[in-house]
Amino acid sequence: MNQQKGQIFCLIGKSASGKDTLYQHILERHGQELTRVIPSTTRPIRTGERDGVDYHFVTKDQLDRLQAEGKVIECRAYQTVFGVWYYFTMAFAVEEDKDYIVITTLEGAHSFIRHFGGDKVRVVYLDLEDRTRLMRCVAREDRQKNPNYNEVCRRFLADQVDFAPEKLAELPGLQVIHTEQDEEGCLRDWERIFSAQE
């Protein structure tokens, strides 16, 4: 579908904007055409997550060693009610006959662009109105063994700052998928972006 290979597609968006859901649907339909970039984190594993599938779950000491060895593309620290959690992406080589997909943040997308170059990175922002997102965040936290609604509120408010319109405008060629539409609509938008040529 996408004839210009060696592209890295970065899915970004606020909490509960549908990143994980769309990501899974994309992989179900186009998994043969995309290589997953699995991020890493020092936060505890959540109910239903799998190490090496959703994230690589590591300790802070392991992260420090990887950084010292120059094996980290980007790293973000979040002050949570549980302490500091780190999310990061380990370095990898881009093969010219493959396309890649990763869920990251706005800052992470900038790091990918700096590391690989703007011609290799395509950023896709998933947009969803705030009320629906907040309800989803609360519902997701309800399913945790020990729900923490303070953390839900912290993340929701932080997203408003992190994804401010002026910050999104700094990303070259930003594409947007409005995730209030149904699954097929989101996938049609994704396929349009994936097949587009520069």
Side-chain angles (χ1 to χ4, degrees):
M1 182 180 291
N2 177 42
Q3 296 175 10
Q4 183 183 350
K5 294 289 187 180
Q7 299 285 293
I8 303 165
F9 292 88
C10 294
L11 300 185
I12 67 170
K14 297 175 182 176
S15 299
S17 59
K19 297 183 297 296
D20 291 329
T21 300
L22 181 57
Y23 180 76
Q24 290 304 322
H25 289 318
I26 289 169
L27 291 176
E28 287 166 11
R29 191 167 292 187
H30 301 286
Q32 299 298 320
E33 302 165 83
L34 291 160
T35 299
R36 298 171 62 225
V37 179
I38 300 173
S40 302
T41 183
T42 63
R43 75 155 167 77
I45 192 167
R46 290 176 180 158
T47 303
E49 290 182 327
R50 293 172 293 166
D51 187 25
V53 175
D54 301 288
Y55 288 93
H56 296 292
F57 292 93
V58 303
T59 65
K60 178 61 166 60
D61 286 344
Q62 288 173 307
L63 167 58
D64 291 342
R65 284 197 297 275
L66 289 165
Q67 286 180 311
E69 294 167 3
K71 295 181 178 178
V72 175
I73 293 173
E74 55 89 25
C75 182
R76 293 151 277 125
Y78 296 96
Q79 181 62 55
T80 77
V81 295
F82 301 107
V84 179
W85 288 346
Y86 295 88
Y87 291 78
F88 64 98
T89 306
M90 288 185 273
F92 64 96
V94 172
E95 297 180 37
E96 293 302 317
D97 62 341
K98 294 182 179 179
D99 289 319
Y100 299 80
I101 188 168
V102 63
I103 297 174
T104 188
T105 63
L106 187 144
E107 293 84 1
H110 280 297
S111 295
F112 273 89
I113 291 168
R114 285 192 297 271
H115 188 84
F116 294 106
D119 60 325
K120 292 288 185 190
V121 180
R122 310 272 295 280
V123 185
V124 182
Y125 175 61
L126 306 192
D127 188 32
L128 181 65
E129 58 90 17
D130 288 339
R131 183 181 185 281
T132 301
R133 285 196 316 101
L134 182 56
M135 299 302 287
R136 285 183 181 179
C137 287
V138 171
R140 182 170 64 189
E141 197 65 20
D142 285 341
R143 295 191 295 271
Q144 299 305 308
K145 186 176 180 180
N146 298 300
N148 188 299
Y149 301 102
N150 288 337
E151 177 61 13
V152 170
C153 294
R154 184 204 66 78
R155 289 186 66 187
F156 186 85
L157 294 173
D159 278 342
Q160 303 301 90
V161 175
D162 292 345
F163 290 94
E166 59 271 18
K167 291 185 178 180
L168 289 170
E170 295 173 357
L171 287 164
L174 180 68
Q175 299 289 319
V176 179
I177 296 176
H178 297 284
T179 53
E180 71 277 356
Q181 62 186 319
D182 63 15
E183 172 191 327
E184 284 302 317
C186 291
L187 282 168
R188 279 195 301 272
D189 284 352
W190 158 257
E191 288 162 357
R192 172 184 51 78
I193 293 165
F194 186 49
S195 62
Q197 297 299 303
E198 293 296 331

